[in-house]
Amino acid sequence: MISRYRLMRGVLKRKFAREFCWRLTALCLHSEKKKFIARTQATIKNSIFGLDQARVGTDVDLLSHNGATPGLPLPEPMVKEVLAYATQSPVYADRDKKRGFYLSDLKRVEQKLGKEVLLAQYFNILNNEHIRKIAYDPYLLLVAASYLQAPPKLMGANLWWTFPSNPSAEDKSKHAHVFHYDLDDVKFVKFFFYITDVDEDCGPHVYVEGSNRVIKYKNSWLRSLRFTDAEIEEAYGRDKVKYVMGPAGSTLIEDTITIHKGTTPTKQPRLLLQFEFSINTYPEMSCECDESELAFAV
């Protein structure tokens, strides 16, 4: 039997279908959205970001026009808490629940797997009180509600390392290091936080400005498309390809229907924290699992 998630992805492949379904949903949820925003605005003084309402409107406008926009930076104490969590907790190579290891054992894991590890992620990160506090901060909730035009639901919380490596074409595609777009719901938005400093040698995130609005590629009903750098530059122009760099704590807000990709670090690993908000949720997108499913590789 086809899942809700796969059905959604099939129905909403075309932009006109997404727009129609989103506007109809937003109309139906208008009253609930207004109540949610009012309740959240009443807690704005509790935001760790030093938030004001005007900033929310600016972020949403830029997000809608460009597909992504820099957000308020994550305060340094929170950056340190997330980094501490990452260094003390097991992480899982290739997002595989049976390939757990501690960072100090990276080389041992690579020897066992017979390849370099490009990406390793954590599971159940919302169990950490500091990460949970960031996820439900009024800043994130207000931006998400205003952009989605609906009460936002936390679809997923993810934290992962990208390591310097020479990945195979299979690993680059599997871990989204080629241009693509996401189709996670009728409308969704992600918040990315750099937990380590990121320059051109540390695996910056890349997105194509305006590709959320202007579709210059042929779609497919049957599969998620991947695009070469040359195809994207020819379609959109090199000036629209934006590399996101900045110190630890830097924030990017993005609707990843916008064409984007990860890049492979060449010098230092990158640690990135992500929260995704949507109108509907799907278990396929969650990074939460039963602890009994997790196992160490070494």
Side-chain angles (χ1 to χ4, degrees), residues 33-275:
K33 179 208 69 175
K34 288 183 63 177
K35 292 176 183 177
F36 178 89
I37 288 178
R39 289 196 305 269
T40 307
Q41 285 175 333
T43 69
I44 205 168
K45 63 181 183 300
N46 299 325
S47 174
I48 63 174
F49 292 91
L51 171 65
D52 65 77
Q53 184 59 33
R55 176 60 191 245
V56 171
T58 299
D59 284 348
V60 171
D61 288 345
L62 290 171
L63 174 62
S64 299
H65 187 265
N66 297 330
T69 185
L72 293 172
L74 186 65
E76 185 178 0
M78 280 298 188
V79 173
K80 290 181 177 179
E81 291 290 355
V82 176
L83 184 58
Y85 168 83
T87 56
Q88 297 165 12
S89 304
V91 65
Y92 296 82
D94 299 324
R95 307 186 193 272
D96 189 322
K97 297 172 186 175
K98 304 302 182 185
R99 293 182 173 181
F101 66 97
Y102 287 99
L103 289 178
S104 58
D105 290 326
L106 175 60
K107 293 303 179 184
R108 290 178 59 205
V109 168
E110 290 180 330
Q111 289 173 359
K112 181 169 183 177
L113 297 179
K115 67 171 186 126
E116 293 179 305
V117 173
L118 171 61
L119 184 146
Q121 81 160 49
Y122 298 85
F123 288 97
N124 300 329
I125 65 172
L126 289 173
N127 290 341
N128 178 273
E129 63 176 317
H130 304 290
I131 293 176
R132 194 165 59 249
K133 183 176 179 65
I134 301 168
Y136 291 105
D137 189 272
Y139 175 48
L140 275 66
L141 296 178
L142 287 171
V143 170
S146 299
Y147 182 69
L148 300 175
Q149 290 294 295
K153 296 178 180 178
L154 182 60
M155 172 102 78
N158 200 349
L159 177 68
W160 73 90
W161 288 99
T162 310
F163 298 106
S165 59
N166 185 25
S168 65
E170 180 184 0
D171 269 355
K172 289 180 71 173
S173 180
K174 177 180 179 181
H175 297 305
H177 281 208
V178 290
F179 278 117
H180 66 287
Y181 62 87
D182 300 333
L183 182 49
D184 295 348
D185 193 25
V186 61
K187 194 79 166 176
F188 57 98
V189 62
K190 296 180 182 180
F191 295 79
F192 298 104
F193 299 96
Y194 285 161
I195 306 302
T196 51
D197 297 338
V198 176
D199 60 20
E200 61 185 3
D201 298 316
C202 298
H205 180 83
V206 185
Y207 70 94
V208 181
E209 185 180 86
S211 59
N212 59 315
R213 294 179 294 105
V214 181
I215 307 299
K216 294 186 177 182
Y217 51 84
K218 290 184 178 180
N219 221 320
S220 168
W221 290 104
L222 301 177
R223 61 188 178 90
S224 295
L225 293 180
R226 297 290 194 255
F227 309 98
T228 66
D229 291 6
E231 286 174 329
I232 292 302
E233 290 184 8
E234 181 180 356
Y236 289 95
R238 186 172 296 181
D239 62 310
K240 295 297 184 181
V241 179
K242 306 297 182 182
Y243 286 74
V244 181
M245 294 176 277
S250 297
T251 304
L252 182 74
I253 310 169
E254 183 176 0
D255 178 343
T256 55
I257 199 72
T258 303
I259 296 175
H260 64 286
K261 69 173 182 176
T263 57
T264 306
T266 58
K267 292 185 178 179
Q268 297 295 324
R270 184 199 72 177
L271 180 61
L272 186 143
L273 175 65
Q274 172 197 293
F275 301 106

Side-chain angles (χ1 to χ4, degrees), residues 279-296:
I279 298 174
N280 306 288
T281 60
Y282 308 91
E284 293 92 336
M285 300 303 298
S286 174
C287 294
E288 306 299 305
C289 68
D290 193 296
E291 293 289 337
S292 65
E293 299 177 46
L294 302 174
F296 281 91

